[in-house]
Amino acid sequence: MGEVRPGNTPKSAETLIRMLGLPFNESLRIEEALTHRSASHERGRKKPIPNYERLEFLGDRVVGLIVSEYLLNMWPQATEGEVGQVFSTIVSTQTLASIARRMDLGSYMILGKGSHSSGERENHSLLADTFESLAAAIYCEYGLETARQVLIPWFAQPLQEILRSLEAAPPREPRRPPVTPEPEAPRSRERGRNPPNYKLLLQKWAQQHFGETAEVRLIEESGPSHQKRFVMGVFLGELLLEQATAGTKRGAGFAAMENLWQKIEDGFMPDLPQRSLPKEPTARETSPTETGEALPQEIPASAESHDLLPDSSSLPVLTFVSEKNNREEEKAVET
């Protein structure tokens, strides 16, 4: 790496351009690409001079274009994934900073006093950014073809290192499409018990209140064949009461019925005319004369209680004979 001149004096931009094998033009683009923001304020006290940041934005695209084009031409049998893996490594901050060090780009950077004192010439990120701004300046001054011829050779060494590391790495297993596990049917909220028969419960509820039958229907089916999604709904006539989504029709239908029954238990009632239950027939009041029955005789309220007793003369006379008299009569007969 070259030495920076004493007093924070960088090497000239002309030296850098001639080192790259290009004819030097009196252009501010190259100096702009090498000027740090700290120096732009120190050198232009009234009006800051342009710095590398705008050119860095363009240089990022220039480097990406020439490197991706080079990889596709050099590696025609590679897949898009393989090319992308190498590309992301070769245009990384680490790789670009290593190329900038081989160019001794830090000794050409125009820094402010504070940045120079803090060692910004060896800053990893700043070196990579300055390389990109230099690529943009070469593109603007000399064209895309010249930029390609000048810059690509600097990528040869890191590219060989990347390819060797990929060859030494164990082969990756081919990616398989993700497998979505079959969703289990929703379980009862009470552990250790079988889930209720929601279909039977809903049928009884619908018949009792509306005189109709609740039905579970398919609303929507989506997704690839290995990852289907089903939307099932519970309908009362044409009215959708509840819906649910799952990986199977059965799972979605069960979830929809369970959710609806929970809502019903919480007081849900759809806005539909309810079935009117038949009234029990009221007994028709009939008079005893219509049935042919005799009217009970009324007891006068003024009658005395003894007047209600039957006449004693009409009662049968009961004669009681003692056991002693019977024995005396039997003895008399024997004698």
Side-chain angles (χ1 to χ4, degrees), residues 2 20 29 71 86 139-140 235 241 246 254 257 263 266 276 283 298 332:
L20 295 175
R29 287 282 187 178
L71 290 177
V86 175
Y139 164 76
C140 292
F235 289 83
L241 301 180
F254 188 95
M257 290 188 292
K263 290 170 60 176
D266 293 338
S276 57
E298 295 183 359

Side-chain angles (χ1 to χ4, degrees), residues 37-258:
R37 179 169 48 185
S38 59
S40 68
H41 288 278
E42 290 183 4
R43 294 194 172 194
R45 297 185 181 277
K46 294 184 179 180
K47 183 180 180 181
I49 61 176
N51 58 57
Y52 78 98
E53 292 178 350
R54 287 173 56 85
L55 286 175
E56 179 211 345
F57 174 79
L58 175 61
D60 179 67
R61 278 72 182 168
V62 173
V63 171
L65 173 61
I66 63 176
V67 170
S68 58
E69 180 188 42
Y70 175 72
L71 290 177
L72 290 176
N73 293 334
M74 184 196 70
W75 207 0
Q77 303 301 326
T79 64
E80 182 271 339
E82 293 170 334
V83 174
Q85 182 181 2
V86 175
F87 174 83
S88 61
T89 305
I90 204 169
V91 298
S92 64
T93 299
Q94 180 179 357
T95 302
L96 297 182
S98 68
I99 295 176
R101 287 193 178 92
R102 286 165 45 214
M103 284 184 174
D104 192 21
L105 200 56
S107 63
Y108 296 95
M109 290 164 52
I110 304 171
L111 302 176
K113 294 180 180 179
S115 298
H116 169 71
S117 302
S118 61
E120 287 295 303
R121 294 187 189 278
E122 295 299 322
N123 184 288
H124 207 61
S125 178
L126 182 57
L127 285 171
D129 293 345
T130 305
F131 176 82
E132 290 179 335
S133 63
L134 176 63
I138 295 174
Y139 164 76
C140 292
E141 295 295 333
Y142 303 96
L144 180 60
E145 182 60 31
T146 300
R148 184 185 294 113
Q149 294 176 1
V150 170
L151 298 177
I152 284 298
W154 292 94
F155 287 96
Q157 179 180 340
L159 179 60
Q160 293 300 324
E161 295 174 356
I162 293 171
L163 293 178
R164 281 197 297 267
S165 64
L166 291 177
E167 292 175 357
R172 292 185 176 183
E173 295 184 0
R175 294 183 62 184
R176 299 177 181 178
V179 179
T180 303
E182 186 71 16
E184 299 180 358
R187 298 181 179 178
S188 174
R189 298 185 181 182
E190 299 181 10
R191 292 188 175 182
R193 299 182 61 183
N194 293 328
N197 189 338
Y198 293 113
K199 185 175 182 179
L200 180 60
L201 293 173
L202 291 174
Q203 295 292 7
K204 291 182 178 180
W205 171 80
Q207 285 290 340
Q208 179 182 357
H209 292 280
F210 305 100
E212 296 189 23
T213 302
E215 298 179 349
V216 179
R217 306 176 195 165
L218 176 65
I219 298 177
E220 183 181 354
E221 177 180 345
S222 61
S225 58
H226 66 279
Q227 198 173 2
K228 285 286 188 181
R229 303 296 293 172
F230 299 93
V231 181
M232 302 293 290
V234 182
F235 289 83
L236 190 60
E238 296 302 322
L239 177 63
L240 175 62
L241 301 180
E242 185 63 34
Q243 68 181 43
T245 305
T248 62
K249 293 181 181 179
R250 181 180 179 182
F254 188 95
M257 290 188 292
E258 182 184 26

